[in-house]
Structures are given as structure tokens and as C-alpha cells.
Amino acid sequence: MSYTLWNDKIVDDQQVSINKEDRGYQFGDGVYEVIKVYDGEMFTATEHIDRFYVSAEKIKLTIPYTKHKLHQLLHELVEANELKTGNLYFQITRGTSPRNHLFPGSDAVPVLTGNVKEAPRSIENGKNGVKATFAEDIRWLRCDIKSLNLLGAVLAKQEAHEKGSYEAILHRGDTITEGSSTNVFGIKDGVLYTHPADNYILSGITRGVVLTCANEIGLPVEEESFTKKEALQMDEIFVSSTTSEITPVIEVDGCAINGGVIGEWTRKLQKQFETKLPVASTTI
């Protein structure tokens, strides 16, 4: 038996019912988060919950629970499902109301749902690296909001998959922004580069951990954008996310990065990242 978070209760999956006029279904009117669970512990849960509330505020959606209450509910969801290693997904929509582009009145109550999924760490990708492809960034201009509107990212990810790649590295014109579901980093001459956290990217929680790790190992960071041409000339490229952790990119559209060999700085960052995880989850 598996359990779902439905508003302020943990219930059997079969008990959950979502109205056909829920604005999340009709308009993508809501926000979401994904937390990685290692050895039964939620990793960077506070940061994810904080961003959840920030995203909701940006779309003028009031979450009817305190952060402490939400944290408690998510913890209970993990425990109820006896999740060891996997992903915890949760979202909130503006609620149910007759279809209308305008926000509904006060009678519409936000709908919170959450579920978990067993998912092992991507150890092989981290060890061996992955291929990527460039794709035009066709998404809207508020990528800083982790909204339910993901079609642009879905199309880019599908394009990458059809080309035999793990990730699509998005660009607006020649400027690299981020991946379809990751943040993108390049290392050149001992300096780490990544797009600044503005409205063109989602400031990833794992991105923040990476920047902390870089500081701890003495790798200088420049939060500035770089071009497609500069990307192909990087000494190292990697992507990061909650589910991808730190994944090296060894090839982009047939062009080998660093001769297809994962660089030393990326390896050092991976090792430093491991020190942040529950001991039972580490692989070093």
C-alpha cells in the first residue's frame, strides 16, 4: 500500500480525488518541488520548502499551511511510505473553480498533494558522464518560478532523448541559460562559470550546494553567462539537479569536452557533495 499527501492528511492513494476543474489541471496554475530522500532523510528540505513558498508568492498564491506544518507533513509522507532512497514530489494549485482566466474568489481553496517514488542514485551517470545537445530556450520569461507549466522543458528533454542525449542545454540566442531540468556549469582555467540566478533560470537548490562545495574546495566562481561557442571550449562541463546531483557532460552534439574525459575539478566537487549526504548514502 502506498500513501499520498492530500491537503493536510496522509491518505491511501485510492482516496485521493482531484476535481476536473482544478486550476492546476486546466491552467498549470500552481507550483511544485522535488526533494531527494537519502536513507530515509530529506536532503535540503528547508531550502526546497522556502523556495516553494517563494514561487507561490510570485504567482500570488497563498499556501494555507506554515512552513513548519508542511515540513511535518512531508516527513510523515516519507515515513508512511517507508521510503529509503527516492524522490518526494509535492505541489499546490490555486484550487477548484469554474474555468476562467481570472483568479477565482475566496471560495477556491488551494489543493496540496504529494507523493514519493523509490529511485536509486544515478551512480553510473556520475561516474561515466553523459551526452548533451543544444536546444533553443523557448520557455517563458519567469523561469525563476518553479511552476507547473513545464511544456517548454518537456519538449527540450524529449528532443534530447530522441538524439540519444541525457540533457538539453538551453540557449537564448547564443547565451546558455540552463538545462531542461538542470542547471549548467562550465569550468575554464580553474574558474567555475554558471548563469546568474535571474528570471532566465531556476536557482536550483543543488546549484546552491554546488556553489558552497566550490567555495570549500577553493574553486573560484563567476556567476555569469557564457555562449554556446564558449561552452564547447570549456575544460569541463557538468549539470546539477536534485535527481542528477552533479553529472559530468563529456560530449555536446558530437563535440567531446576535455577529450571525453571527466575533469579533476568536477570529480572534486562530486566528492565534496558526497560529504553533505547521510553517511549510509555515500559511495566514496
Side-chain angles (χ1 to χ4, degrees):
M1 181 181 295
S2 59
Y3 297 91
T4 294
L5 170 62
W6 187 24
N7 298 317
D8 60 349
K9 294 180 175 60
I10 308 298
V11 301
D12 181 282
D13 289 349
Q14 304 305 314
Q15 293 181 250
V16 179
S17 175
I18 303 298
N19 193 290
K20 67 180 183 300
E21 291 204 283
D22 186 287
R23 289 178 63 88
Y25 174 72
Q26 294 191 334
F27 296 107
D29 189 357
V31 297
Y32 78 101
E33 282 290 335
V34 180
I35 297 176
K36 191 70 178 181
V37 176
Y38 298 97
D39 195 31
E41 295 183 28
M42 295 184 290
F43 182 59
T44 58
T46 298
E47 292 84 352
H48 280 282
I49 291 171
D50 284 346
R51 187 175 63 181
F52 188 62
Y53 279 76
V54 169
S55 290
E57 182 179 6
K58 288 178 177 178
I59 66 168
K60 301 179 180 180
L61 192 163
T62 300
I63 298 174
Y65 311 101
T66 65
K67 292 181 182 180
H68 175 76
K69 177 63 175 179
L70 178 58
H71 196 293
Q72 180 184 30
L73 289 168
L74 296 176
H75 177 73
E76 291 175 1
L77 179 64
V78 171
E79 287 200 327
N81 285 283
E82 299 181 349
L83 181 66
K84 294 303 180 184
T85 298
N87 305 326
L88 165 57
Y89 176 93
F90 58 104
Q91 69 173 45
I92 194 164
T93 72
R94 206 176 300 275
T96 299
S97 180
R99 182 180 173 87
N100 189 329
H101 280 63
L102 296 175
F103 288 175
S106 58
D107 57 326
V109 179
V111 176
L112 173 69
T113 54
N115 58 79
V116 302
K117 178 182 179 182
E118 289 280 353
R121 297 179 62 190
S122 302
I123 301 299
E124 291 304 311
N125 286 342
K127 286 183 177 179
N128 302 323
V130 298
K131 297 179 181 180
T133 185
F134 287 130
E136 185 69 35
D137 193 344
I138 60 172
R139 302 169 303 164
W140 72 325
L141 297 178
R142 292 306 308 273
C143 298
D144 54 305
I145 301 173
K146 199 168 178 69
S147 81
L148 300 180
N149 297 273
L150 290 173
L151 190 54
V154 167
L155 291 172
K157 182 71 80 173
Q158 181 64 27
E159 179 181 341
H161 175 72
E162 291 173 358
K163 291 182 177 180
S165 293
Y166 175 80
E167 178 61 304
I169 296 178
L170 305 179
H171 57 90
R172 292 184 185 270
D174 287 329
T175 301
I176 301 298
T177 50
E178 58 184 341
S180 66
S181 63
T182 62
N183 289 120
V184 178
F185 297 80
I187 300 175
K188 184 67 176 179
D189 297 330
V191 178
L192 179 66
Y193 295 91
T194 191
H195 197 287
D198 55 19
N199 62 294
Y200 292 114
I201 75 164
L202 180 72
S203 185
I205 302 304
T206 304
R207 175 183 183 274
V209 177
V210 169
L211 297 182
T212 297
C213 289
N215 180 64
E216 292 172 346
I217 66 174
L219 175 61
V221 175
E222 292 289 343
E223 291 189 61
E224 61 180 56
S225 61
F226 50 91
T227 66
K228 292 170 59 180
K229 180 179 179 180
E230 289 169 335
L232 297 178
Q233 296 172 344
M234 289 289 178
D235 299 324
E236 306 174 42
I237 294 178
F238 65 88
V239 295
S240 76
S241 74
T242 294
T243 55
S244 296
E245 298 178 356
I246 297 175
T247 298
V249 174
I250 57 174
E251 181 183 306
V252 181
D253 285 337
C255 179
I257 306 300
N258 192 38
V261 178
I262 299 170
E264 292 184 8
W265 280 116
T266 301
R267 289 300 191 206
K268 289 178 181 179
L269 285 168
Q270 288 177 319
K271 289 181 179 180
Q272 191 64 18
F273 180 84
E274 291 271 341
T275 68
K276 312 294 183 186
L277 306 182
V279 174
S281 298
T282 60
T283 60
I284 295 176

